[in-house]
Amino acid sequence: MFYWVVKAILGPLLHLVFRPWVVGIEHVPRRGPAILAGNHLSFADHFIGPLPLPRKVISLGKAEYFTGRGLKGLLTRAFFTGVGTVPIDRSGGKASEAALRTGLRILREGHLLGIYPEGTRSPDGRLYKGKTGVARLALESRVPVIPWAMVNTFEMMPTGRPFPKLGIRPGVKYGKPLDFSRYYGMEDDRLVLRAVTDEIMYALMELSGQEYVDKYATSAKIEQERAARASRDAAPS
């Protein structure tokens, strides 16, 4: 219920201020489970992506969104609950398996599951290598995967910016469902998981028009932080 209240409040406001556009909404099924696999450019993706859909999108988000303290923590928790985010532990190992089981449960219940294969927001607007969890979900659940590309949300609200910029029109493109039935029963094969994930990322690259980088976004962020520290250390005092 809270999801629809938040959408009813945010939807008209976003349409009025930012005039978001949409392409390919007919590719999203009106009923039944499906995976929406998207690029992740901005905090704004959480509301720009699901906005055009008449169905609820449940997404998996890092548990830290739900553990903050004080007023900021309360507002963050309320926002992510309102936009249909389910908290998961992303520390790896058993936590990754628990996140997979949560995603499978959501799909078994017939919902749309939104997931960002990059695992984190792009540090520079480019598309980064996908993690194979999305492939395991697709093969174990045996549901269609719909590429879900955000456009202009990085320019609208890049990482670190608390409020979106005015004058930038964000959009979302939904691609044709991807069929991975030829790989069913092979979800324990790492090469198959990588092939499926790369096919999803290629579809996102085609849909979004982003430059693709064959490394994980988390690695790119670490490299950027190291370079920034080195630059500060080298600067004259």
Side-chain angles (χ1 to χ4, degrees):
M1 181 64 181
F2 189 30
Y3 178 93
W4 297 111
V5 171
V6 170
K7 192 167 184 177
I9 295 170
L10 281 180
L13 181 62
L14 290 171
H15 277 292
L16 178 65
V17 177
F18 296 103
R19 299 183 299 120
W21 50 269
V22 60
V23 173
I25 196 170
E26 69 276 7
H27 297 310
V28 183
R30 293 283 181 168
R31 60 182 67 84
I35 296 170
L36 294 171
N39 58 341
H40 200 7
L41 292 169
S42 166
F43 185 84
D45 299 339
H46 295 290
F47 42 90
I48 294 297
L51 184 65
L53 296 173
R55 295 183 61 184
K56 181 177 181 179
V57 178
I58 299 177
S59 60
L60 303 180
K62 58 185 179 181
E64 292 86 342
Y65 288 146
F66 297 82
T67 57
R69 297 183 178 182
L71 179 60
K72 181 180 179 182
L74 177 64
L75 292 175
T76 301
R77 187 161 55 252
F79 172 80
F80 280 101
T81 300
V83 295
T85 303
V86 174
I88 58 168
D89 183 345
R90 303 193 305 176
S91 57
K94 291 183 178 179
S96 296
E97 189 66 25
L100 174 72
R101 297 302 153 200
T102 299
L104 289 172
R105 173 182 57 79
I106 291 167
L107 291 167
R108 280 197 301 269
E109 292 170 355
H111 297 294
L112 290 176
L113 176 66
I115 187 170
Y116 301 109
E118 290 166 282
T120 188
R121 283 173 284 178
S122 170
D124 53 17
R126 296 185 293 176
L127 183 69
Y128 283 82
K129 187 175 182 178
K131 297 184 177 182
T132 58
V134 65
R136 282 199 64 191
L137 275 171
L139 299 187
E140 290 202 26
S141 66
R142 302 191 174 190
V143 304
V145 178
I146 299 163
W148 189 31
M150 314 300 162
V151 181
N152 291 337
T153 55
F154 182 82
E155 293 77 8
M156 172 187 176
M157 195 175 179
T159 300
R161 184 179 177 88
F163 300 104
K165 295 179 183 178
L166 298 176
I168 296 176
R169 248 189 115 184
V172 56
K173 295 180 178 180
Y174 303 95
K176 294 180 180 179
L178 303 175
D179 177 15
F180 296 111
S181 59
R182 62 194 183 280
Y183 295 123
Y184 288 168
M186 303 171 70
E187 56 270 12
D188 292 325
D189 187 320
R190 292 185 179 182
L191 293 178
V192 168
L193 294 180
R194 174 46 56 194
V196 170
T197 305
D198 288 347
E199 186 172 334
I200 292 169
M201 302 312 291
Y202 183 82
L204 281 172
M205 181 186 70
E206 291 274 284
L207 203 58
S208 68
Q210 290 171 272
E211 177 187 348
Y212 179 75
V213 183
D214 192 24
K215 69 170 67 173
Y216 294 114
T218 47
S219 299
K221 286 183 176 181
I222 291 171
E223 290 174 6
Q224 286 186 3
E225 289 167 2
R226 286 175 179 167
R229 282 197 302 268
S231 179
R232 287 195 299 269
D233 292 342
S237 57

